[in-house]
Structure formats: structure tokens, C-alpha cells
């Protein structure tokens, strides 16, 4: 099992010890430390982040913290699954060195913070439109976690996030650039179940029937991907109509956006943009299926 620490002081102490040990093995190369922030209830999507971090770094720290600040709905926070024992087993398997599982009091010792970050206009569209304040609360805790885990020893610093939450990833990249936070942000591709459903800690709240209905989300994205591969025009309106008429699905949005700024793009804007190595565009969608709000997206190269 990875070591578990619950205070920032212990996190720093253990990290420094792990980095010192790693530094003796790296033959003059600066050791690399990676942070993988999570809210627990870990699944194979989180494991993919930890494995990517393990590949890139000498020391891998995973935080497990359900951040009250990013939940608008107290009932949603209350029912968020907590599975610490299983999480630690998964982290062991995926190769994490250290788990940081602080209490709310450790992260917010003075109660709710007076000073917070704002995601600005990127935080009010799409997910931000239906969850006001969500991205501000998320940025506040991610910046706190990045600061808490920032190495003091000479080391390079990376943090890993899933492309599943594409808007979150875009906003975090922007925060790190806008505020000069010395950490490299790495995105990891969406991990799906065999049937195509994007893995999420909230999928456990779907009934068998709702889960079947939810498959239409990824199928619609895969159809768009097939259109693109075949050189056919991207018909977003047809994709929206397909989901709006699908049983059990309440579509919130389906839109093509720039992966860095999250501003909407027209399909014609995609041509000629892919040389940079970044995806040229991302089709993002959110929908309610039964009691669960589900996100999915498709990166278009
Ligand atoms: P969460 O615990 O839901 O806050 O997620 C923690 C991290 O895992 C975030 O960076 C998510 O984007 C990432 N993540 C969650 N689900 C998946 C998935 N199916 N594939 C890849 N990354 C994921």
C-alpha cells in the first residue's frame, strides 16, 4: 500500500524523503515528482493517470479530497462515494508512492477561504453555466493542492489530469500559465468501459436501464469521429437531434470548442489547425441520465 498522510506538514516531510531517495538513483538528473489530484472513488480512469505519472516521474503523489467548495448542491456532496480502502488498493496496483487524504479542516482551517480564484469567462460556459461557482471552487483547491505538494528539494514538478473533464483541464492549464505556477500540466486520454461509456465515479448511480441509455452519448461521439475519419462534414446539429430524441437522455449541450480556450468553433474552423500537435477541436457534451449528470468528449486531431 502507498503511505497515507493526512496533513500538509506530513505530506511535505514524506515527499522530501522520497525525493532524496529518488535523487540518489537518478545519476545527476533532477528527480521528477508528479501530483494526481482526485476525489477518490477511484476507477480505471484514475489508474491511467497514476500510470502516466509513474512513467514520467520518480515520485508519484495522489491526493484524495472531496472538495466541498466545488459542489453547488449539498445533496451531491453528501452522496459522493467514499471508498478509501479500495482506493488505496488501486493506488498500490497503479504504482503510487504516497496518498494525501486530508480532512476538510486541514484544507480549510479557517472555514471557507475569503480569498479565492476565479476561472473568469472560461468558468461560466458549458459546465460552469449549469454549475455556478464550480470551476472557481475547483481552481481554489487545485491551486492549494499544487502548492501543498510543490517540492522544496531540487526537482521537476508535474501534475496529471484527465481529458474526460476537458473544460477543467483547459482552465487549469490557463491558471498555471496566467499565475506562473511552476508545474507542468499533462492531460491523459479518456478511459472507457468496454461498451464505450466514459468511466466516472458517478456511473454507480445509474440503473441497468439508464446505463444502457447512456451508451448513446459515446455512440454519438464515435459516429462523429467516423464521419471525420471518412472526410464527411461534421454535422453537430444532427448529433444534437440524435441525443435529444434518445430515450432517457436529457441533453444539456453538445458543442465543438477550442481545447485551450473553450470558445465555440464552427466545423469549418477545424481545417488546417492540427499541425501544433494539440487537438484541433473538442466536441464536448453533457447530459442528464436518470439522477446523474454525465460528461463526455471527443478530441479531433
Ligand atoms: P475526480 O476524482 O472525478 O475529480 O477525477 C480526478 C481526475 O481523474 C480528473 O483529472 C479527471 O479528469 C480524471 N478522470 C476521471 N474519469 C476519467 C476517465 N474516465 N478517463 C480519464 N481520466 C479520468
Amino acid at each position: 500500500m502507498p503511505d497515507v498522510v493526512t496533513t500538509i506538514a506530513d505530506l511535505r516531510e514524506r515527499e522530501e524523503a522520497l525525493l532524496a531517495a529518488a535523487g540518489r538513483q537518478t545519476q545527476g538528473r533532477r528527480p521528477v515528482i508528479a501530483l494526481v489530484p482526485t476525489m477518490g472513488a477511484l476507477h480505471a480512469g484514475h489508474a491511467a493517470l497514476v500510470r502516466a505519472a509513474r512513467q514520467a516521474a520518480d515520485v508519484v503523489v495522489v491526493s484524495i479530497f472531496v472538495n466541498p467548495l466545488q459542489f453547488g448542491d449539498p445533496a451531491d456532496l453528501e452522496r459522493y462515494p467514499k471508498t478509501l480502502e479500495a482506493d488505496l488498493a488501486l493506488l498500490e496496483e497503479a504504482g503510487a508512492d504516497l496518498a494525501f487524504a486530508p480532512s476538510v479542516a486541514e484544507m480549510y482551517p479557517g472555514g471557507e477561504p475569503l480569498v479565492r480564484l476565479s476561472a473568469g469567462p472560461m468558468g461560466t460556459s458549458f459546465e460552469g453555466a449549469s454549475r455556478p461557482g464550480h470551476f472557481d471552487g475547483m481552481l481554489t483547491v487545485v491551486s492549494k493542492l499544487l502548492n501543498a505538494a510543490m517540492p522544496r528539494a531540487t526537482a521537476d514538478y508535474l501534475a496529471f489530469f484527465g481529458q474526460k473533464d476537458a473544460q477543467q483541464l483547459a482552465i487549469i492549464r490557463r491558471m498555471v500559465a496566467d499565475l506562473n505556477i511552476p508545474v507542468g500540466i499533462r492531460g491523459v486520454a479518456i478511459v472507457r468501459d468496454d461498451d464505450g461509456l466514459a468511466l466516472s465515479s458517478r456511473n454507480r448511480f445509474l440503473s441497468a436501464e439508464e446505463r444502457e441509455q447512456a451508451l448513446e452519448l459515446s455512440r454519438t461521439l464515435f459516429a462523429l469521429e467516423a464521419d471525420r475519419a471518412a472526410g464527411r462534414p461534421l454535422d453537430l446539429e444532427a448529433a444534437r437531434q440524435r441525443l435529444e430524441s434518445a430515450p432517457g437522455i436529457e441533453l444539456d449541450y453538445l458543442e465543438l470548442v477550442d481545447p485551450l480556450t473553450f470558445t465555440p468553433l464552427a466545423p469549418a474552423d477545424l481545417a488546417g489547425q492540427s499541425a501544433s500537435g494539440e487537438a484541433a477541436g473538442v466536441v464536448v457534451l453533457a447530459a442528464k441520465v436518470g439522477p446523474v449528470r454525465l460528461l463526455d468528449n471527443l478530441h479531433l486531431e
Side-chain angles (χ1 to χ4, degrees):
M1 291 284 170
D3 277 357
V4 184
V5 290
T6 57
T7 68
I8 295 171
D10 287 347
L11 170 66
R12 292 189 167 145
E13 201 179 304
R14 285 297 297 139
E15 264 189 23
E16 294 306 309
L18 287 164
L19 276 173
R24 289 192 284 275
Q25 314 283 319
T26 53
Q27 281 135 6
R29 173 176 64 74
R30 281 157 72 92
V32 180
I33 184 164
L35 173 67
V36 182
T38 79
M39 298 203 299
L42 303 181
H43 51 62
H46 300 105
L49 299 186
V50 177
R51 289 205 183 89
R54 183 77 276 166
Q55 289 276 313
D58 304 294
V59 176
V60 177
V61 180
V62 178
S63 63
I64 297 178
F65 180 61
V66 182
N67 174 35
L69 228 54
Q70 70 193 64
F71 284 78
D73 175 6
D76 190 27
L77 173 62
E78 185 59 35
R79 72 170 182 183
Y80 200 85
K82 288 177 192 63
T83 59
L84 187 63
E85 281 309 305
D87 292 352
L88 294 176
L90 179 143
L91 292 182
E92 161 88 15
E93 170 83 30
D97 298 302
L98 189 59
F100 174 49
S103 64
V104 172
E106 176 70 11
M107 291 303 283
Y108 300 112
E112 287 213 354
L114 294 178
V115 176
R116 299 172 188 223
L117 289 176
S118 162
M122 286 176 82
T124 55
S125 59
F126 303 108
E127 281 312 283
S130 57
R131 303 179 69 186
H134 165 71
F135 285 121
D136 298 351
M138 178 281 292
L139 279 188
T140 302
V141 82
V142 168
S143 61
K144 285 170 72 72
L145 292 168
L146 288 173
N147 285 332
M150 190 173 292
R152 260 127 286 271
T154 309
D156 288 333
Y157 190 24
L158 300 174
F160 288 74
F161 296 88
Q163 286 178 351
K164 157 96 183 345
D165 300 279
Q167 190 174 6
Q168 167 173 284
L169 176 59
I171 292 174
I172 288 170
R173 282 192 197 286
R174 192 69 202 210
M175 168 179 76
V176 162
D178 285 352
L179 302 184
N180 301 93
I181 301 179
V183 61
I185 300 299
R186 303 276 189 273
V188 177
I190 295 184
V191 178
R192 298 176 180 281
D193 250 326
D194 291 343
D195 57 12
L197 186 68
L199 293 184
S200 161
S201 307
R202 291 188 165 94
N203 289 351
R204 70 190 70 201
F205 299 127
L206 294 168
S207 69
E209 188 191 6
E210 287 159 353
R211 207 198 133 83
E212 189 58 40
Q213 292 170 333
L215 294 181
E216 196 61 10
L217 300 174
S218 51
R219 286 193 191 121
T220 301
L221 292 176
F222 297 155
L224 286 171
E225 190 173 36
D227 286 343
R228 175 113 169 123
R232 289 188 292 269
L234 214 56
D235 192 342
L236 299 175
E237 196 41 47
R240 277 183 207 112
Q241 280 170 17
R242 173 174 175 173
L243 289 175
E244 268 155 10
S245 59
I249 292 183
E250 210 181 295
L251 182 66
D252 181 356
Y253 58 79
L254 182 152
E255 194 63 70
L256 174 66
V257 299
D258 180 301
L260 296 181
T261 61
F262 254 68
T263 46
L265 297 174
D269 297 335
L270 286 176
Q273 271 199 17
S274 48
S276 67
E278 280 291 336
V282 189
V283 180
V284 288
L285 68 76
K288 213 162 167 222
V289 181
V292 190
R293 187 180 165 79
L294 295 174
L295 303 185
D296 204 343
N297 65 67
L298 169 69
H299 279 62
L300 299 171
E301 304 306 330

